[in-house]
Amino acid sequence: MTALLDVHLTGADADAALRADARAGLTADPKRLPPKWFYDARGSALFEQITELPEYFPTRTERALLERTADAIAITSGADTIVELGSGSSAKTRLLLDAFRRAESLRRYVPQDVSEAALQEAMSALAADYPDLELHGVVGDFTTHLDRLPADGYRMVAFLGGTIGNLLPPERAEFLRALRAALRPGEQFLLGTGLVADPAVLVPAYDDAAGVTAEFNRNVLHVLNRELSADFDVDAFDHRALWDAGNEWIEMRLVARRAMTVTLAELDLTVEFAAGEEMCTEVSAKFRREGVRAMLGKAGFTVVGSWTDRDERMALTLATAV
């Protein structure tokens, strides 16, 4: 079968985005950085370690939920093309690919990711294991390039891992609007979301005893040091994770242990940190099932299926574009 690769995001594009995000975030009050800059090669490896930690339940819970529901999703959907946003290694997606093949509808898989290298590696493995499957990779950012997804076939777009929770509410609304605009009526959206749960369970998932998440959080400073010739003293920042009950999200922060002056030579920018100053690096919103339905409805989708794990910590929602 054919394997195509569209590139809509180059190294130069990523560099320009990092520069813009760093300047905007480090000069804001309070300071913040987007979580996508965690994920260089080291950050991606650290996140893979996080998914295996005993405290971090989302990945294994969603995988078990997919194992139980993939056939029902495939039968309900009937799509011949699965598009996955932020596909990474496409590991969990294989559960969907297998189910849609059993339903005898699948012809094409379209993985989308910001990393061309990761996408090529994943597609090579998939080509070996699914020789009859048409592959069409897209190197792009799901916040920018939804209108460039291949439009052929009857598509189901999968967005798993609770990643939608990393978007702030206005970003979330814009993402869903753009996705609905990119789909034809009758095409579908499979959304994975984390659900509101006991903070005693949620917070440790983002602040593990082994300190892997702390190292993952600080990795964004390593990225800035390397890419923007910054001089962050990475070890002078502590990791903090907290539950914001008002917004119903986990917020990850980096806390300056001491007052310091940081220079980003590539931006010709100097930034002051006060002792104890906190910089937000990620929000991870959790949802309620009725809230997911309302959010999708507002964006032009009708929910046709919804599944949760036994403890109601993760949900999969299948919706149709109307």
Side-chain angles (χ1 to χ4, degrees):
M1 270 292 182
T2 58
L4 303 173
L5 186 66
D6 298 340
V7 179
H8 300 299
L9 185 69
T10 66
D13 295 328
D15 180 62
L18 174 60
R19 287 168 174 265
D21 286 347
R23 184 179 295 279
L26 291 172
T27 57
D29 185 18
K31 297 180 179 70
R32 64 186 312 117
L33 290 169
K36 66 182 178 182
W37 302 116
F38 290 137
Y39 295 96
D40 63 351
R42 179 175 182 269
S44 296
L46 285 167
F47 183 72
E48 288 302 313
Q49 291 181 41
I50 289 170
T51 65
E52 301 297 327
L53 294 170
E55 298 98 329
Y56 193 80
F57 64 86
T59 299
R60 63 176 175 270
T61 301
E62 188 180 62
R63 181 179 179 86
L65 183 57
L66 271 172
E67 288 174 345
R68 180 167 60 84
T69 62
D71 285 305
I73 291 168
I75 291 168
T76 304
S77 169
D80 62 30
T81 299
I82 296 176
V83 180
E84 185 178 12
L85 306 180
S87 57
S89 65
S90 301
K92 281 186 294 189
T93 320
R94 290 168 178 254
L95 297 169
L96 289 171
L97 297 180
D98 292 342
F100 275 72
R101 288 211 305 183
R102 286 191 292 270
E104 299 183 343
S105 65
L106 185 66
R107 293 193 300 111
R108 183 185 303 103
Y109 173 52
V110 180
Q112 176 274 326
D113 200 84
V114 295
S115 170
E116 182 174 352
L119 207 50
Q120 288 179 331
E121 183 177 346
M123 288 174 65
S124 294
L126 288 165
D129 295 339
Y130 298 87
D132 296 330
L133 184 63
E134 182 180 331
L135 299 171
H136 191 156
V138 179
V139 180
D141 186 330
F142 60 72
T143 65
T144 309
H145 300 125
L146 291 174
D147 59 339
R148 303 186 195 180
L149 293 171
D152 46 341
Y154 169 42
R155 299 169 297 174
M156 183 192 79
V157 175
F159 193 34
L160 304 176
T163 306
I164 194 170
N166 296 144
L167 303 176
L168 294 172
E171 298 168 335
R172 205 181 302 152
E174 174 58 23
F175 163 76
L176 290 171
R177 184 207 63 75
L179 178 63
R180 174 59 193 88
L183 296 178
R184 294 182 291 271
E187 293 189 311
Q188 293 165 325
F189 180 38
L190 178 66
L191 177 63
T193 52
L195 298 178
V196 174
D198 184 348
V201 173
L202 287 173
V203 172
Y206 297 85
D207 193 11
D208 62 280
V212 182
T213 310
E215 196 59 30
F216 174 69
N217 194 6
R218 283 189 287 264
N219 191 61
V220 71
L221 303 182
H222 286 294
V223 171
L224 295 182
N225 282 351
R226 183 184 67 244
E227 299 297 330
L228 299 179
S229 300
D231 59 359
F232 281 96
D233 179 355
V234 177
D235 293 334
F237 287 84
D238 288 322
H239 165 70
R240 186 181 182 202
L242 57 87
W243 172 246
D244 183 329
N247 287 310
E248 294 191 322
W249 66 42
I250 292 284
E251 189 164 311
M252 291 205 325
R253 300 175 182 175
L254 289 171
V255 185
R257 291 182 184 172
R258 56 176 174 80
M260 65 188 91
T261 301
V262 177
T263 300
L264 295 89
E266 290 290 322
L267 298 183
D268 193 23
L269 178 67
T270 300
V271 180
E272 301 290 338
F273 282 86
E277 184 175 352
E278 298 184 346
M279 176 169 62
C280 180
T281 53
E282 181 180 85
V283 299
S284 183
K286 307 304 173 186
F287 299 85
R288 299 180 187 273
R289 295 179 73 178
E290 61 272 21
V292 172
R293 186 179 293 269
M295 175 176 70
L296 291 172
K298 188 174 181 179
F301 293 92
T302 296
V303 173
V304 295
S306 179
W307 302 266
T308 67
D309 63 289
R310 182 179 57 190
D311 296 323
E312 296 203 351
R313 295 177 180 174
M314 298 293 291
L316 291 168
T317 304
L318 183 64
T320 299
V322 295

